[in-house]
Amino acid sequence: MRIATWNVNSIRARAERIGAWLDRSDADVLAIQELKCRDDQFPREVFDSRGYEVAFHGLNQWNGVAIASRVGLEDPQIGFAGMPAYNDADEARAISATCGGVRVHSLYVPNGRELGHPHLDYKLEWYRALTSVVADRLAADPEEKLVLCGDFNVAPLDEDVWDMAAFEGATHVSPPERQAFSDLLGAGLTEVTRQFTPGPGVYTYWDYQQLRFPKKQGMRIDFELASQALAATASAAMIDREERKGKGASDHAPVIVDFDL
C-alpha cells in the first residue's frame, strides 16, 4: 500500500495539480493538510472522478485536513480525544479513517508562531494530548497498524534545517518542541521516511519568500509515524521534490511511503 502525505496550502488553488499528481503517483491513500476551505467548498470531484473516497474537515480559510483513499475509507473521525482548542476556538487539524486495514491520521500540528507566544503553549499541549491518545491505543492493541501522517511543524534534527544559526531563538527547533516530537515517537511509533531518504539537505518544506527553494534552504517537517506493526512493513519512501517546482506549487512536497502489507 502506498500512503502519501501532503500539505497542499489551499486545496482549491491546488486542485488541478493534486489531480495530476494522483494520476502519476499511484498513491493508494493521501493524507492532506492545510485545506484552507470550508466543507461546502471542498473540491471532492477531483477525488470522486479518480475512484477515491474522501473524508475532510474544514471550518474556514485556515487549517483543514482530509484523507483520500482508493482502498476503502471506514470509520472517519474528526479530531482526537482531548484535542485542545486555541482561545476556546476549535480548529480543523486532525482527521482519521481506516484505509485498507490501516488506521490513517492526517494531522496539521499547530505552528507555535514564536518562542514565548501562547500559540507555542497550545502546540505543546496539542502534542501531549496526541501522545496520550496514541500511547493508550497502542497499549490496548500493540499489533494495530496505525500511521500518523502530516505536517508536524517540528524539525527534529539539526540537519533538518538548512542552517541552525538562522533558527536561533525560533520555533520548530526549540528543545521543548523537539522533546514533544520525541515523546510522540516514544508512545510506540517509528518515523519511517528517514531510513529511505537520509539527510542532510533533505527537506519537505521551502518558504515562498527569499527564493528558499532554488537556494535549497528548506526544512524537514512532514513525516509518517507508524506503529511497530506497520513500520516493520515499510519498504520504500521518497519526497517528491519535483512537485515543489513550477507555477502554483505548494510550499510543501508530498512525502510517500510504500508498505508491504
Side-chain angles (χ1 to χ4, degrees):
M1 183 186 299
R2 174 164 288 181
I3 300 178
T5 183
W6 189 7
N7 178 323
V8 298
N9 189 15
S10 179
I11 194 164
R12 289 181 293 167
R14 238 66 70 185
E16 186 174 337
R17 287 189 68 132
I18 293 167
W21 185 83
L22 287 172
D23 290 341
R24 67 175 181 273
S25 69
D26 199 31
D28 295 301
V29 181
L30 175 60
I32 312 168
Q33 303 85 43
E34 208 168 353
L35 305 181
K36 292 186 174 180
C37 70
R38 302 186 309 269
D39 282 353
D40 64 302
Q41 299 171 315
F42 187 89
R44 65 177 306 146
E45 65 278 0
V46 171
F47 306 95
D48 292 345
S49 64
R50 291 171 169 83
Y52 288 83
E53 297 178 78
V54 62
F56 47 88
H57 177 46
L59 296 173
N60 49 42
Q61 72 271 30
W62 307 112
N63 311 317
V65 284
I67 297 172
S69 171
R70 64 181 186 185
V71 291
L73 195 153
E74 301 173 0
D75 189 25
Q77 295 182 4
I78 293 170
F80 54 84
M83 190 176 82
Y86 183 62
N87 288 340
D88 297 322
D90 290 333
E91 295 187 319
R93 292 189 175 274
I95 193 169
S96 62
T98 299
C99 306
V102 177
R103 191 67 186 177
V104 179
H105 294 250
S106 181
L107 305 173
Y108 182 38
V109 177
N111 178 280
R113 298 184 184 172
E114 60 187 37
L115 299 185
H117 195 285
H119 205 264
L120 181 57
D121 295 333
Y122 164 57
K123 178 179 187 175
L124 297 176
E125 183 183 1
W126 207 92
Y127 261 108
R128 285 191 293 269
L130 177 63
T131 299
S132 178
V133 166
V134 172
D136 289 348
R137 185 161 186 140
L138 292 179
D141 182 5
E143 297 305 311
E144 181 178 14
K145 292 182 173 64
L146 175 150
V147 62
L148 274 56
C149 303
D151 178 353
F152 288 85
N153 268 317
V154 171
L157 304 179
D158 288 357
E159 69 178 34
D160 294 337
V161 298
W162 78 89
D163 182 4
M164 277 297 294
F167 287 83
E168 184 175 355
T171 58
H172 291 62
V173 299
S174 72
E177 291 167 281
R178 286 180 166 180
Q179 186 61 54
F181 187 87
S182 178
D183 289 346
L184 179 58
L185 293 177
L189 301 173
T190 297
E191 198 287 290
V192 291
T193 62
R194 195 183 301 270
Q195 60 183 316
F196 303 107
T197 58
V202 177
Y203 307 127
T204 65
Y205 164 81
W206 302 259
D207 196 290
Y208 290 129
Q209 306 299 317
Q210 301 183 50
L211 299 174
R212 295 296 189 201
F213 184 67
K215 291 179 180 178
K216 300 181 180 180
Q217 295 177 343
M219 303 174 67
R220 187 175 190 144
I221 57 177
D222 303 86
F223 301 100
E224 295 193 22
L225 314 183
S227 63
Q228 298 306 309
L230 182 61
T233 73
S235 59
M238 69 168 291
I239 298 166
D240 190 355
R241 191 176 181 275
E242 292 298 307
E243 190 54 41
R244 179 58 177 83
K245 298 179 180 179
K247 183 179 179 180
S250 170
D251 45 3
H252 294 252
V255 177
I256 305 160
V257 181
D258 289 340
F259 298 96
D260 290 340
L261 300 179

